[in-house]
Amino acid sequence: MRRVAMVGAGMTQFGELFHLGMKDMLPMAVSEAAASVDKGFDRADVQAAWFGELVTTDGFATGILADTCGLLDIPVSRLENACATGNDAVRHGTMAIASGMYDVVLVVGADKVRETSSRTTFWDWMSMTRDAAWDFPLGLVAPANFALHAARYLYESPHATREHLAMVAVKNHHHGVTNPKAQMRFEITVQQVLDAPMVVDPFGLYDCTPQSDGAAAVILVAEELADRYTDHPVWVRGTGLGLDRVMHQHKRDMTTFPPTVKAAKQAYAMAGVGPADIDVAEVHDCFTGVELIDYEDLGFCEKWGAAGLIESGATYVGGRIPVNPSGGLKAKGHPPGATGVAQCVELFEQLRGESTNQVDGARLGLAHNIGGPTAVSAITILGADKP
Amino acid sequence: MTTIAAIGTYLPVWGSQLSRTIGPDEDAVTLAVAAGRAAMVARPDVSVDAVVVVSRHLPLIEGGNSAPVLAGLGLHEGTRTREVVGGAAAMLDEITAATPGTLVIGTDTSAAAGASAVLCDTGGTAVTGTGRVTRSLPVRTRDQHGAVTDYADPRLLRERGVVESLARLGTPTAAVVAGLSGRDAAALCAAPPAALPTLGASATGFAIAALAASEAGGTLVAVDQATVAIAELASGPIAVVRDEAAPQPTPASSFTEGSSVSISLPAYERAFDAKVRLEAARCASCGTLSLPPRLRCIECGHEGASERVALPRVGEVYSLATVRVPVPGLVTPYTIIIAELGDTGVRTIVKLTGAPAGSVAIGDRGTLVLRLVAVRQGVPDYGYGFLPDSHEVAA
Ligand SMILES: [Zn+2]
């Protein structure tokens, strides 16, 4: 299997981009990724592209990417894997090069959540994740999907409280302040989080990711070609993808996300590393409680250790294991198809020492998504050092 | 002559001592099932081979109401059913004409909501129709689109409707009156009659239950505007089970307008039996229960034959989420519950019912009751709700 290098990465601003269509965001992200390539990038070099997108908002997805980005002469495939789409698209691009089939691959992720009314979004996205007869009519909206896990987690955990959930929001908002691409660039306090209107118990408004538009792109090349593009490539060290029972009533232990555990096991094994080796992580924090469960599932702490970990400050930049230096989904924003790719954009910058919220000496980074009906997770491990 | 073995009653929990209202997850069908189940609990030894539902509020005028009634009652799909449009007098007609093994259910959702079910059998207490007069004085009308018009002249209805019709039947003295409220009912009785919680078809069942309490029998008058039916109830016992929780004020809630939530009727049809009967598939190989039923066993991977088995209707909250943000097309707030059923290990995901949103906690126990989960593109979508244990059925 060939080693795979990431030589370019870029993204649009995340936010309510009412003024931009998919046909604007895609070329913006691709051009920024191309411009980030140290020694220049001719997009005629791209041999294949993968496009991660959940909901098509502006017409036929792969055609729009090819058409708007000048990629009409290569194969383009669309990939949808719920909120794990972005990191799964990176996994597919990696496989395409590792297999020897292609040498230069473009991976793009994008979504425009705010293209429809913020209220109808609930049903638009629920229909993607629910059984048409059994749980769709219940109104199991996205926050409720995760709240069922968080409620049980808070019930069983000997330590975690709503304050610990709030600490996650406070940290990620703090991190997002320095990120020019972030949707929410302001500090909040634990008290503000606790006092905010409730969305779905135990999540208040500040426990929830905003609804976002945005696109992100990375350029992957075979190791033999890496130095043609840069002297500082980032290496794809490991990938993983895990699944679980789809219906909540079939998940025996809702205090954990088994897809994350499975994806992490694959990615750590492929990279030949363990959780203690990770210097920086971008994890799925669509709702605050999810980040706490992620800490445990990814092995950053022991079971029920998440409350202590966030409380200790260890997951701030400067701490033992900085998590979501970009602001995470919570502050940076969450256009689902783009989210995982954008996590890799942040790690690309972190591992090259170029992030606006730099983790000193970061050599190994992990990107993680958990999504859909909490039944799929994708993980990418990137490294500054050639494996 | 019919003999009555048992009566079951149901009142929605919402409202006051004087008048109940249905919750957003109830309709004439769910009320009918609640009352029917109460009657069948009262006399589990009586086998039901026919069901008659009398109401002016059945949701599906083009048909389809009886299937969820049978499924909710756990009766075979081959059971004879009939849907009758009518009020208290029509209900009394159906009872006095019923054959043994018939469950006659009256169900009302508007104004004062409630349902009653009269289980007829051999060897119960006799009720005999003794007179009937059908006249027209439509002081309230409702057209096929549901538009209601009130003539608003209660004295006219009383004098030229009820009193005149009873005069044609010899002006009997009633022991209890179904279909008229307080003072109007009392005017027809020698002694103050029992106050009944409803005015429509279900009032007749409540009236018989009230008479049965004394075991003395008496004359029953049932009124639908100017149409009147009368019957004599013999003295004797009738088993009565009342599913009538103490009333609670309707919690504050709001409905958010939105485009109609879509439905797949093929998916509805495939799920219907298991969903409305609350039945799991039991794997023919390892015995594991799957809800929803599925081709491939969730435990051992066996594919193919499985049998349907009824699940226990008691459960415990495993986890929950209370949705407080507006959701288009739904009434908020609402609480979604993952409930573990009995000792089966089977969990189901349902909404809280009969209690304010957010009023339960993990570990709380309750029962699963038939509810209207949603109305999608005009289709009532029935499933189960979690009724916390504070709600008790009084025998
Ligand atoms: Zn089996």
Side-chain angles (χ1 to χ4, degrees):
Chain A
M1 205 167 73
R2 298 198 295 175
R3 283 182 273 254
V4 178
M6 188 178 290
V7 298
M11 61 183 281
T12 66
Q13 174 79 39
F14 277 7
E16 294 185 319
L17 308 181
F18 297 122
H19 61 299
L20 298 177
M22 193 61 91
K23 294 169 191 175
D24 303 307
M25 297 192 320
L26 292 175
M28 288 167 72
V30 170
S31 292
E32 188 176 296
S36 75
V37 178
D38 295 332
K39 299 181 183 177
F41 186 75
D42 178 356
R43 72 179 63 190
D45 291 353
V46 178
Q47 294 168 317
W50 271 263
F51 180 20
E53 184 200 50
L54 265 66
V55 174
T56 295
T57 50
D58 228 347
F60 173 57
T62 56
I64 295 293
L65 177 67
D67 196 348
T68 60
C69 296
L71 299 168
L72 284 167
D73 298 319
I74 60 163
V76 180
S77 297
R78 177 188 173 185
L79 191 144
E80 188 279 303
N81 213 342
C83 286
T85 294
N87 276 304
D88 195 18
V90 170
R91 191 177 70 92
H92 276 255
T94 301
M95 288 190 293
I97 291 171
S99 71
M101 190 157 179
Y102 301 111
D103 294 323
V104 180
V105 161
L106 176 70
V107 177
V108 183
D111 260 308
K112 273 196 72 65
V113 177
R114 295 296 283 112
E115 203 70 352
T116 53
S117 161
S118 58
R119 285 191 165 173
T120 64
T121 307
F122 275 141
W123 292 106
D124 296 344
W125 296 75
M126 251 190 297
S127 64
M128 298 184 64
T129 53
R130 303 279 162 244
D131 181 282
W134 285 88
D135 49 20
F136 178 73
L138 282 174
L140 191 51
V141 294
N145 184 37
F146 287 93
L148 288 166
H149 287 271
R152 186 73 198 185
Y153 182 87
L154 290 177
Y155 175 78
E156 286 196 37
S157 169
H159 312 298
T161 64
R162 262 207 81 203
E163 281 75 6
H164 293 102
L165 270 58
M167 289 176 201
V168 172
V170 169
K171 169 182 71 74
N172 290 348
H173 270 258
H174 175 71
H175 284 168
V177 169
T178 57
N179 184 351
K181 301 289 179 66
Q183 182 166 356
M184 298 191 155
R185 300 183 62 193
F186 54 88
E187 302 268 3
I188 55 172
T189 65
V190 165
Q191 201 55 47
Q192 278 177 295
V193 181
L194 296 177
D195 291 346
M198 290 307 289
V199 173
V200 176
D201 301 0
F203 300 140
L205 191 60
Y206 282 125
D207 288 286
C208 305
T209 180
Q211 295 186 339
S212 319
D213 305 325
V218 297
I219 297 164
L220 303 175
V221 304
E223 63 173 313
E224 297 85 351
L225 280 78
D227 60 5
R228 184 195 294 177
Y229 297 105
T230 179
D231 294 330
H232 303 286
V234 163
W235 299 94
V236 181
R237 296 285 307 272
T239 63
L241 188 123
L243 295 166
D244 192 16
R245 298 283 179 202
V246 174
M247 296 178 122
H248 282 64
Q249 55 270 46
H250 296 154
K251 297 171 187 179
R252 298 314 300 178
D253 179 3
M254 292 189 73
T255 67
T256 173
F257 298 117
T260 298
V261 175
K262 296 174 194 176
K265 192 175 174 192
Q266 295 164 22
Y268 287 139
M270 183 172 164
V273 302
D277 301 312
I278 301 297
D279 300 312
V280 55
E282 286 277 306
V283 310
H284 210 80
D285 61 329
C286 49
F287 302 95
T288 49
V290 176
E291 182 170 316
L292 293 185
I293 297 174
D294 294 342
Y295 292 168
E296 297 171 10
D297 289 340
L298 292 167
F300 296 163
C301 61
E302 72 287 2
K303 185 75 178 174
W304 310 129
L309 193 67
I310 184 73
E311 207 175 301
S312 73
T315 52
Y316 274 83
V317 170
R320 173 173 71 78
I321 170 69
V323 174
N324 286 326
S326 71
L329 285 57
K330 178 69 200 71
K332 183 172 61 179
H334 181 31
T339 296
V341 181
Q343 290 176 329
C344 290
V345 173
E346 173 68 21
L347 292 183
F348 180 77
E349 294 172 356
Q350 288 285 350
L351 298 171
R352 284 158 50 101
E354 299 166 345
S355 174
T356 54
N357 194 21
Q358 184 62 43
V359 173
D360 283 345
R363 305 302 292 172
L364 202 61
L366 179 147
H368 158 261
N369 298 138
I370 173 80
T374 64
V376 61
S377 171
I379 288 175
T380 308
I381 295 176
L382 300 178
D385 304 310
K386 191 170 177 177
Chain B
M1 184 192 81
T2 304
T3 69
I4 298 174
I7 296 177
T9 67
Y10 172 74
L11 292 177
V13 70
W14 311 115
S16 65
Q17 284 294 354
L18 295 176
S19 177
R20 306 293 181 100
T21 54
I22 56 169
D25 59 353
E26 292 182 298
D27 69 2
V29 165
T30 65
L31 265 57
V33 168
R37 290 191 79 91
M40 291 163 72
V41 164
R43 282 294 299 274
D45 56 306
V46 176
S47 79
V48 176
D49 62 16
V51 175
V52 180
V53 179
V54 186
S55 182
R56 297 197 186 278
H57 307 117
L58 287 174
L60 293 171
I61 304 304
E62 296 290 335
N65 303 303
S66 293
V69 170
L70 291 183
L73 292 172
L75 295 172
H76 188 266
E77 64 184 9
T79 308
R80 285 182 295 128
T81 64
R82 205 146 53 84
E83 298 165 17
V84 176
V85 178
M91 175 81 170
L92 186 55
D93 289 343
E94 293 301 327
I95 293 166
T96 54
T99 52
T102 302
L103 184 64
V104 183
I105 308 175
T107 175
D108 303 300
T109 58
S110 84
S116 63
V118 176
L119 180 55
C120 303
D121 192 29
T122 52
T125 298
V127 60
T128 310
T130 51
R132 190 178 212 291
V133 58
T134 299
R135 297 174 60 235
S136 180
L137 191 60
V139 293
R140 162 170 279 213
T141 66
R142 178 153 55 101
D143 71 10
Q144 60 184 325
H145 305 295
V148 171
T149 307
D150 272 315
Y151 188 79
D153 191 337
R155 212 156 58 241
L156 170 72
L157 174 63
R158 187 164 64 239
E159 291 174 13
R160 291 307 304 160
V162 180
V163 171
E164 171 61 20
S165 292
L166 282 170
R168 297 183 188 193
L169 296 168
T171 312
T173 301
V176 63
V177 180
L180 291 180
S181 55
R183 207 176 41 165
D184 290 339
L188 306 177
C189 301
L196 307 179
T198 61
L199 290 168
S202 64
T204 301
F206 283 105
I208 298 172
L211 272 186
S214 67
E215 296 194 17
T219 302
L220 173 70
V221 172
V223 177
D224 291 347
Q225 299 196 125
T227 293
V228 171
I230 55 178
E232 285 299 319
L233 182 70
S235 60
I238 297 175
V240 176
V241 167
R242 293 181 180 271
D243 184 354
E244 301 178 10
Q248 301 177 32
T250 306
S253 65
S254 60
F255 175 77
T256 306
E257 290 294 336
S259 51
S260 173
V261 180
S262 65
I263 191 167
S264 160
L265 274 179
Y268 165 96
E269 187 275 330
R270 289 193 300 271
F272 185 91
D273 276 332
K275 193 171 153 183
V276 185
R277 290 179 180 274
L278 195 59
E279 288 178 349
R282 176 156 58 201
C283 174
S285 177
C286 76
T288 296
L289 298 173
S290 290
L291 182 73
R294 46 193 281 152
L295 180 73
R296 185 178 171 86
C297 173
I298 200 165
E299 184 64 31
C300 77
H302 173 75
E303 292 183 6
S306 62
E307 63 167 334
R308 294 291 172 90
V309 294
L311 286 164
R313 288 168 185 247
V314 295
E316 183 178 311
V317 178
Y318 171 77
S319 195
L320 76 174
T322 297
V323 177
R324 301 192 185 276
V325 71
V327 180
L330 298 184
V331 174
T332 48
Y334 55 87
T335 297
I336 291 173
I337 289 171
I338 298 174
E340 190 151 325
L341 302 179
D343 56 2
T344 59
V346 172
R347 291 181 193 156
T348 184
I349 186 161
V350 296
K351 271 184 183 162
L352 176 65
T353 187
S359 65
V360 288
I362 290 174
D364 284 1
R365 303 187 64 81
T367 55
L368 279 288
V369 291
L370 187 78
R371 285 295 182 263
L372 180 63
V373 176
V375 178
R376 298 192 280 163
Q377 291 179 281
V379 179
D381 195 353
Y382 299 102
Y384 281 79
F386 183 91
L387 182 66
D389 262 352
S390 51
H391 178 103
E392 281 162 10
V393 175

